[in-house]
Amino acid sequence: MIRFENVTYRYGDGEGGISNVNLRVEKGELLAVIGPSGSGKSTLLKLLAGFMEPQSGSIWIEGKDVSGVAARHRDLGIVFQSYALFPHMTVLENVAYPLRLRGVDRAERFERASKALGEVGLSSATDRLPATLSGGQQQRVALARALVYQPKALLLDEPLSALDASLRTEMRDLITHVQRTAQIATIHVTHDQEEALSMADRIAVVHRGEILQVASPKDLYDKPFNATVAAFVGKANLWIGDVMSSTCVRTEFGDIACDASDWGIGDRVNVMVRPEAIMPLTADQNPEQAPNYFNGTLVQDRFLGAVRRYDLSVAGCVITGETGYRGSLSRISIPFDSVRLLPLQDD
Ligand code: ADP
Ligand code: MG
């Protein structure tokens, strides 16, 4: 449906941009693109939208190479963080505008715009001016306007980042609902990893202009490609370790039993464990029977409502855990299967 083939675009000074990007989005799929600020996410969308052309590589939409095709002929629905509505037009006129550009007659365009507004839950606001709407409502208008002409794909560049937390959750649900109903290929750029995990079929992680990994939310979380991905998606303990055998890795605070069969003895690795995988031992549990048992000193303890996040100092290293357990904390166990070994990185 949408394909990036070896796409490179570097800005004038050579610092920013994207390099050798390969990416596919299928029909009906919602692909989230996440990465730190400045990593190249918007550049990716601008190239797809046709606001600028790749310096090398090609972009394909529905089997057609779109090199040189002007933005307005690519038939893409675009929503940015700033709503960019026309202030002097009513909500209905705003949504009908793309149809006017395409020469659809007046009666039909108002009918289709009304329908699109209904789909985003804004039927009652058709005659209002954008300035009289809340931020969330304006963003719904922008979404309706992007969808009204049944675009080939929907491009969303951090559309929710200006909204407050509860509205963001509501808009997430609305976007996924509308996107699923219309079965439209969607690229959703966000720096909010929870947003990406909750909405996407697949997630692409961008770092310094390169795509590090593309995977389903679960695979990305459970099997990150390296420590950068692990630290960017969710929270992660990352310790340096040396592989001692196919079932043991040695860290600064002790040996950890795990599956190291993909590694060679003597390999230096990043040892990753998610905080919620770490099991606190209650007073009546026997440490002899707990895998990877460690005893430490509680140095941080934050109550976050549903969970408690704590730091345990073990032989000078910090182990961060998350638990619903409210008793005293000093003894923990790290389940064998929760340990993942990742390659060491240069930076
Ligand atoms: P993101 O959307 O992930 O925050 P961008 O794609 O906007 O990142 O930018 C990627 C990099 O390119 C950044 O380092 C940014 O400073 C640089 N950049 C973006 N736009 C321009 C531009 N018009 N001229 C020069 N550098 C730019
Ligand atoms: Mg951006």
Side-chain angles (χ1 to χ4, degrees):
M1 185 41 240
I2 291 171
R3 217 162 80 224
F4 281 68
E5 266 182 16
N6 261 314
V7 173
T8 295
Y9 184 96
R10 311 299 308 177
Y11 292 99
D13 54 11
E15 283 292 306
I18 58 170
S19 300
N20 297 314
V21 164
N22 287 293
L23 197 62
R24 293 181 73 102
V25 190
E26 306 301 336
K27 181 172 160 48
E29 183 180 39
L30 195 158
L31 178 88
V33 176
I34 62 173
S37 173
S39 56
K41 305 182 296 295
S42 293
T43 303
L44 209 102
L45 281 200
K46 286 183 205 158
L47 289 165
L48 175 57
F51 300 155
M52 48 203 208
E53 289 286 329
Q55 287 150 354
S56 63
S58 53
I59 296 174
W60 300 68
I61 300 175
E62 287 186 344
K64 185 166 169 268
D65 182 344
V66 292
S67 308
V69 176
R72 66 179 184 286
H73 292 134
R74 293 194 183 187
D75 273 340
L76 303 168
I78 304 173
V79 181
F80 293 118
Q81 179 186 338
S82 60
Y83 322 118
L85 302 176
F86 301 112
H88 58 285
M89 291 184 192
T90 66
V91 163
L92 188 67
E93 285 163 349
N94 261 283
V95 176
Y97 185 75
L99 298 173
R100 194 168 116 196
L101 285 185
R102 286 167 175 77
V104 176
D105 72 53
R106 191 184 159 84
E108 185 186 339
R109 62 179 192 255
F110 284 151
E111 189 188 315
R112 283 168 64 182
S114 301
K115 186 161 166 277
L117 281 163
E119 280 159 10
V120 300
L122 267 187
S123 294
S124 59
T126 48
D127 297 330
R128 289 168 64 179
L129 289 174
T132 69
L133 302 178
S134 70
Q137 288 172 323
Q138 291 186 42
Q139 204 52 308
R140 282 167 194 249
V141 178
L143 184 61
R145 186 180 57 181
L147 286 164
V148 74
Y149 54 94
Q150 293 164 318
K152 291 181 177 147
L154 192 57
L155 314 188
L156 309 170
D157 194 350
E158 313 218 13
L160 311 184
S161 53
L163 307 178
D164 64 41
S166 65
L167 252 183
R168 262 204 313 266
T169 320
E170 205 182 301
M171 283 297 287
R172 269 185 209 174
D173 294 345
L174 177 70
I175 290 173
T176 39
H177 173 74
V178 168
Q179 187 268 336
R180 299 260 136 89
T181 313
Q183 278 295 297
I184 183 168
T186 299
I187 301 187
H188 180 97
V189 165
T190 174
H191 62 259
D192 181 336
Q193 40 135 330
E194 190 190 294
E195 193 175 295
L197 289 169
S198 71
M199 293 174 73
D201 297 307
R202 287 187 310 146
I203 300 176
V205 182
V206 185
H207 185 68
R208 295 186 187 160
E210 289 180 44
I211 293 191
L212 295 183
Q213 187 171 9
V214 186
S216 72
K218 286 192 185 75
D219 280 352
L220 200 63
Y221 191 79
D222 293 339
K223 298 174 220 160
F225 163 71
N226 63 19
T228 305
V229 177
F232 194 71
V233 182
K235 299 205 166 0
N237 288 286
L238 288 161
W239 308 295
I240 302 292
D242 294 309
V243 174
M244 306 302 287
S245 75
S246 63
T247 57
C248 177
V249 62
R250 179 161 294 167
T251 70
E252 264 184 84
F253 60 91
D255 286 357
I256 297 180
C258 63
D259 179 4
S261 56
D262 289 342
W263 300 86
I265 290 169
D267 282 349
R268 181 151 274 205
V269 293
N270 269 306
V271 183
M272 180 198 93
V273 181
R274 296 290 184 190
E276 71 277 9
I278 293 180
M279 307 300 294
L281 295 191
T282 56
D284 55 354
Q285 273 175 302
N286 181 357
E288 313 260 296
Q289 285 159 12
N292 298 317
Y293 162 71
F294 296 100
N295 193 353
T297 312
L298 193 64
V299 289
Q300 273 276 16
D301 195 3
R302 304 175 211 85
F303 176 66
L304 304 177
V307 295
R308 166 183 184 191
R309 186 176 303 141
Y310 59 93
D311 289 345
L312 211 60
S313 171
V314 178
C317 293
V318 172
I319 299 179
T320 300
E322 277 185 9
T323 181
Y325 176 65
R326 296 203 177 176
S328 80
L329 264 168
S330 63
R331 307 182 310 152
I332 52 123
S333 159
I334 303 176
F336 186 91
D337 289 336
S338 70
V339 183
R340 286 204 74 83
L341 305 186
L342 306 174
L344 271 193
Q345 287 167 269
D346 300 334
D347 51 355

